[in-house]
Each structure stands twice: as C-alpha cells, then as structure tokens.
Amino acid sequence: MEINDALENYFQYLRVEKNLSISTIESYKYDFVEFFKSFPDKTDTFDLLPSDINDFAKIQAKNKKSTSTIHRRMSSLKSFYDFLYNENIIDFEIDPNDVVRSIKRLPIAISVEEVDELLNIIDMNKPEGIRDRAMLELMYSSGMRVSELLSLEINKINFSKGIIKIIGKGNKERYVPVGDFAIEYIDKYVNGPRKQNIGKRSKYLFLNRYGKPLSRQYFFLQVKKYASEANIEQSISPHTLRHCFATHMLENGAELRAVQELLGHSNISTTEIYTNISTKRILSAYDLYSKRK
C-alpha cells in the first residue's frame, strides 16, 4: 500500500474511531511530515522497518529537537505502526519498551558555538564566576561526571602535564588529559578566589563561600542560569557538558574506544550512543580544545 493511502486510512481511523480533534490530528500530520522528510525513499508500507522509529529519534536528537518533541513524535509514529500492524498492512509489531529505552538513552548536546556562548557569559569579575568558569571548562574538556567534578581533589591535578586522576564509579581510577585552556582557568581559580576562601586548606578543588564542596543542586542551578543568560534554547544541565565532550570529540575524529576510556564507560555500547549524533570526522581528537583560544 502506498504511504499516502496508509496515512489517509490512519487519519480516518483517528477521526472516526478514536474521535480525536482536528487540531490533534493536525499535530500528528506534522510529525509525519517531519518523519518522511527524513526518509524520503519510504513511499510504500513495504519500505517501513521496525528500526524506523528509533532511527528517526536519533536524527531528531542530532537536529537538536527537545526530548519532549522527540517523545511525542515517537509516540505518533508508534501509534501509526500499531494501526498498520493491526490492519495486517505490515507484519511486524513495535515493542513499546524499545521506544521508552530509546528516549531515555538519547543524549542532548549543544554545538561548539553554544558551548562558547555558555562559557563566555560567565562574569569573570566575580569570584564565583572565576570558579564556575573553571568548573565548566574542566567538565567540557575532560567529560567528567558531575559527581566526579564536585568531589575532585586538588592533588589529583597535574598542572604541568595537563592530566587529572579521576575516581569514577566503583572507585575505578582513570587518567584523563585536560586541555591548556581548562588548566589556565583552573589556575586562575586556584591562585585567585580559592586562596581567599576560608576552606583553602580543603582537599577538594571547588568550594562554596563556606569552604565546603559545592552541591549538585547549586551547580545545576548555576548552569541553568548561565544557559538562560546565553539565550540557549535547549534545556541543558551540567551533564550536558559531558555529552558535548563526547559528541565533539567524535566529531573531531576521536576513536570510539578512546572516548569510552575517557568517559569511564565500562561498556562500549553506552559510548556508541554518541555515534548516533556524531557523524562528522574531522582532524585530530584534541584540535577542538587546543585551538579554542
């Protein structure tokens, strides 16, 4: 059956049997326009595949669509494929658990330019601004988890070699190279505001005004604030910078195994998520970071 005929039957089913409003059906139609724009060769129901919905979700993530938009469009497509299966038009059924798992696994990454905007919006005239800039630069340059960043001890940084020792999940150790740009901002913080902090003898690198390690909630709110000030439309969190690190590394030619090691993933299938939104291969892995000045 031709796709146009299948869609017409489906929309009639929504109107008559599901009793959906015209506006709701129109939103469904727009989702299908976006889907078939991504897969222009699918002109017949024989062209449809079980992997289509998740493949479309990956394309939408690459195009920086919000998680809520991707979720809605996946749901729209699943409903259509369910209709076709129940009508014996296609011979496969979509597993709803696959759709849910795909949504949960989709990482959000912003562009290099947006990362720069996020970092440059921070007010370096304020002590907390110097600290926050150092934190974000380090996270973007190393791909650390938020928990690893907030618990990082100052003696785990080799400033001369640009290497940090990270204690990750399960107390597993890994050594990660950090670009000169991030090291420069960490040095500004360590030899500036941190020297004036009442907790300057603390073993932890990043401290609040009371000399204690920063909380996840505070860091989350700060990143949200900076993203808003930088007019970044994507809903991001501190963890987004870890996603950006992986995505931009792969875009700049890093090997998947190398990124797996840097991120501290025990299973490479977790790292492979990023290959779905990183298809470009350019230059060497670290050019992006060393040339950001």
Side-chain angles (χ1 to χ4, degrees), residues 25 43 65 96 106 128 185 201 217:
I25 294 174
T43 59
K65 300 300 181 183
L106 283 173
E128 64 270 23
Y185 277 95
R201 297 188 184 279
Q217 182 182 19

Side-chain angles (χ1 to χ4, degrees), residues 178-193:
V178 180
D180 292 341
F181 207 67
I183 290 292
E184 177 184 324
Y185 277 95
I186 296 170
D187 187 67
K188 286 179 181 179
Y189 166 64
V190 169
N191 292 298

Side-chain angles (χ1 to χ4, degrees), residues 3-258:
I3 288 295
N4 287 339
D5 293 334
L7 286 172
E8 183 57 40
N9 289 343
Y10 175 61
F11 294 139
Q12 183 176 356
Y13 159 78
L14 294 180
R15 285 192 301 268
V16 178
E17 296 193 34
K18 300 292 287 185
N19 197 30
L20 297 185
S21 67
I22 294 176
S23 61
T24 299
I25 294 174
E26 287 301 314
S27 67
Y28 271 81
K29 287 183 178 180
Y30 185 76
D31 292 338
F32 291 118
V33 168
E34 289 297 302
F35 174 73
F36 289 108
K37 191 185 299 180
S38 299
F39 300 98
D41 294 335
K42 293 184 183 296
T43 59
D44 193 281
T45 52
F46 285 116
D47 300 324
L48 302 179
L49 299 170
S51 60
D52 288 343
I53 297 177
N54 287 340
D55 288 343
F56 180 55
K58 294 167 188 175
I59 293 171
Q60 292 282 284
K62 182 180 177 181
N63 292 335
K64 301 180 185 178
K65 300 300 181 183
S66 69
T67 303
S68 60
T69 296
I70 297 173
H71 189 280
R72 190 196 72 240
R73 288 177 177 171
M74 291 180 77
S75 296
S76 298
L77 285 168
K78 184 184 179 304
S79 176
F80 176 53
Y81 278 50
D82 287 345
F83 167 77
L84 297 178
Y85 176 77
N86 292 329
E87 293 293 314
N88 296 315
I89 297 173
I90 59 175
D91 59 3
F92 60 85
E93 189 173 13
I94 300 297
D95 184 346
N97 292 323
D98 287 342
V99 176
V100 173
R101 280 194 293 268
S102 180
I103 283 292
K104 288 183 176 179
R105 285 163 58 92
L106 283 173
I108 296 174
I110 57 179
S111 67
V112 175
E113 292 75 19
E114 287 172 318
V115 171
D116 278 333
E117 290 171 5
L118 176 69
L119 297 173
N120 290 329
I121 204 69
I122 300 173
D123 187 353
M124 292 291 290
N125 293 314
K126 298 179 179 179
E128 64 270 23
I130 297 174
R131 179 202 59 207
D132 291 350
R133 178 71 182 262
M135 293 178 73
L136 296 183
E137 289 283 355
L138 177 56
M139 195 167 186
Y140 179 49
S141 183
S142 67
M144 301 173 72
R145 297 179 177 91
V146 176
S147 58
E148 295 168 347
L149 180 76
L150 298 179
S151 63
L152 181 63
E153 298 176 10
I154 195 167
N155 64 0
K156 297 297 189 292
I157 302 176
N158 187 321
F159 284 87
S160 61
K161 294 183 179 180
I163 295 175
I164 57 174
K165 178 182 179 181
I166 299 174
I167 310 298
K169 289 184 176 180
N171 286 323
K172 292 182 179 179
E173 297 180 357
R174 70 183 189 278
Y175 291 86
V176 176
V178 180
D180 292 341
F181 207 67
I183 290 292
E184 177 184 324
Y185 277 95
I186 296 170
D187 187 67
K188 286 179 181 179
Y189 166 64
V190 169
N191 292 298
R194 196 182 184 283
K195 271 191 173 181
Q196 310 302 319
N197 192 287
I198 60 175
K200 60 185 177 183
R201 297 188 184 279
S202 171
K203 66 179 181 179
Y204 297 107
L205 176 59
F206 297 110
L207 307 172
N208 62 24
R209 68 180 68 179
Y210 306 109
K212 304 295 182 182
L214 291 167
S215 69
R216 294 177 67 100
Q217 182 182 19
Y218 172 84
F219 191 40
F220 177 86
L221 292 175
Q222 285 297 93
V223 171
K224 286 287 188 183
K225 182 188 77 169
Y226 294 136
S228 176
E229 292 174 355
N231 295 317
I232 295 174
E233 295 181 358
Q234 286 274 51
S235 177
I236 69 171
S237 69
H239 204 69
T240 302
L241 289 170
R242 177 170 159 89
H243 294 324
C244 291
F245 166 82
T247 302
H248 299 163
M249 284 282 286
L250 289 168
E251 287 179 347
N252 281 269
E255 294 293 332
L256 189 64
R257 287 285 181 185

Side-chain angles (χ1 to χ4, degrees), residues 267-278:
N267 193 323
I268 198 168
S269 63
T270 306
T271 318
E272 285 175 341
I273 297 170
Y274 296 98
T275 64
N276 297 325
I277 57 174
S278 303

